[in-house]
């Protein structure tokens, strides 16, 4: 296996599967099985999930809601998604811990960096909920931050497209895929895959990012083994 410790970033929208809203249990089950296969090879896995399938703070702000209030609501949505994935992972036999940046002791542990690392060392899947715990920061930024804090080897961003393209491949048939990109190229081309705060954190800490299609069963394992699928951002 190419990596020892990875952080998997999933969008909230990815949990919808074929639905228009909420959580598709079949999609979550597929993710759990793919994660188990990789974990069984000895990798340490941490996960950050977005909340866009339930609530998006930016969208709520545009309709008149206070941005900080909307962002906190979005953080709660990420905890709901984290609990759904935690349940699916435990159903396939994995040990998990859900750590939240906002205290809610009845359902998850508070985030403590050393505790998170210890859980990983013990072979548990660690899920980070509630983003960074601060408004105005996305779950992309939370993924980069947590990956740096736990000394992950790479951030794997699982999406419904198989990498970064010159344009949205779902809208532009002429869009072409990048195999590799530097962080500078992402800035210069204004490629909207992760927010710039996440890219800046990753660049400053030499943390590579791979964007890939998580919806295709087996892709997670291929990346863990070092196969060149998706788009690699580094340097």
């Amino acid at each position: 296996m190419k990596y020892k410790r990875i952080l998997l970033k999933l969008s909230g929208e990815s949990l919808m599967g074929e639905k228009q809203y909420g959580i598709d249990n079949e999609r979550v089950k597929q993710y759990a099985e793919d994660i188990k296969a990789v974990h069984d090879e000895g990798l340490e896995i941490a996960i950050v999930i977005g909340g866009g399938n339930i609530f998006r703070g930016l969208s709520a702000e545009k309709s008149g809601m206070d941005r900080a209030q909307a962002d906190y609501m979005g953080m709660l949505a990420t905890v709901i998604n984290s609990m759904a994935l935690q349940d699916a992972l435990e159903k396939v036999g994995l040990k998990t811990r859900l750590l939240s940046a906002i205290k809610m002791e009845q359902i998850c542990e508070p985030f403590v960096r050393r505790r998170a690392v210890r859980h990983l060392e013990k072979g548990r899947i660690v899920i980070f909920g509630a983003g960074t715990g601060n408004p105005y920061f996305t779950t992309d930024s939370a993924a980069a931050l947590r990956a740096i804090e736990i000394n992950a080897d790479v951030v794997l961003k699982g999406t419904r497209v198989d990498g970064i393209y010159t344009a949205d491949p779902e809208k532009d048939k002429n869009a072409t895929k990048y195999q590799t990109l530097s962080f500078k190229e992402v800035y210069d081309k204004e490629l909207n895959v992760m927010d710039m705060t996440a890219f800046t954190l990753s660049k400053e800490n030499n943390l590579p990012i791979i964007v890939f299609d998580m919806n295709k069963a087996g892709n997670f394992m291929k990346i863990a083994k070092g196969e060149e699928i998706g788009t690699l951002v580094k340097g």
Side-chain angles (χ1 to χ4, degrees):
M1 307 300 279
K2 184 173 183 180
Y3 305 106
K4 181 180 185 295
R5 179 178 295 167
I6 59 181
L7 188 136
L8 174 64
K9 168 61 169 63
L10 299 172
S11 69
E13 288 87 346
S14 67
L15 300 188
M16 292 191 298
E18 301 303 318
K19 295 184 176 182
Q20 298 299 311
Y21 177 83
I23 299 169
D24 182 338
N25 288 332
E26 289 303 312
R27 176 69 73 210
V28 177
K29 181 181 177 182
Q30 179 229 313
Y31 286 172
E33 290 170 348
D34 284 353
I35 291 166
K36 176 176 169 53
V38 172
H39 181 267
D40 287 349
E41 294 294 325
L43 269 74
E44 297 174 1
I45 303 171
I47 305 169
V48 171
I49 314 176
N53 57 319
I54 299 172
F55 189 87
R56 293 189 67 85
L58 281 173
S59 299
E61 182 193 27
K62 291 176 182 177
S63 64
M65 184 177 287
D66 177 78
R67 171 66 188 275
Q69 184 83 340
D71 280 356
Y72 280 119
M73 292 172 69
M75 291 179 218
L76 297 180
T78 71
V79 176
I80 292 172
N81 285 337
S82 296
M83 292 173 70
L85 182 61
Q86 181 181 37
D87 179 73
L89 291 169
E90 292 182 344
K91 278 185 167 61
V92 296
L94 295 173
K95 302 293 185 182
T96 71
R97 289 294 186 274
L98 172 54
L99 277 60
S100 171
I102 298 174
K103 287 185 179 180
M104 43 187 88
E105 288 89 344
Q106 286 83 354
I107 56 176
C108 48
E109 299 177 17
F111 170 73
V112 177
R113 186 184 69 85
R114 289 179 182 273
R115 183 181 293 174
V117 171
R118 187 65 180 137
H119 286 322
L120 290 167
E121 290 172 346
K122 288 185 175 181
R124 298 163 182 157
I125 304 291
V126 175
I127 307 170
F128 297 116
T132 66
N134 302 289
Y136 304 100
F137 289 90
T138 68
T139 50
D140 283 343
S141 295
L145 177 62
R146 296 293 184 241
I148 294 162
E149 288 182 300
I150 65 171
N151 295 317
D153 300 317
V154 64
V155 170
L156 304 182
K157 176 159 182 173
T159 68
R160 58 188 182 188
V161 294
D162 62 342
I164 303 174
Y165 284 75
T166 53
D168 187 343
E170 295 180 345
K171 297 177 181 177
D172 185 349
K173 294 181 180 178
N174 296 318
T176 57
K177 178 183 168 185
Y178 296 105
Q179 294 299 320
T180 60
L181 285 163
S182 68
F183 287 105
K184 185 176 186 304
E185 286 175 316
V186 171
Y187 290 135
D188 293 345
K189 298 176 187 294
E190 297 182 349
L191 298 171
N192 188 25
V193 179
M194 295 178 81
D195 68 76
M196 287 303 156
T197 303
F199 273 118
T200 301
L201 276 171
S202 300
K203 180 179 185 298
E204 290 178 349
N205 291 275
N206 298 314
L207 177 68
I209 299 168
I210 300 176
V211 180
F212 73 107
D213 181 3
M214 182 68 180
N215 290 352
K216 185 175 181 181
N219 270 357
F220 189 30
M221 176 65 81
K222 289 178 181 177
I223 287 187
K225 288 183 174 179
E227 292 187 34
E228 294 182 358
I229 63 172
T231 301
L232 170 64
V233 182
K234 67 174 183 177

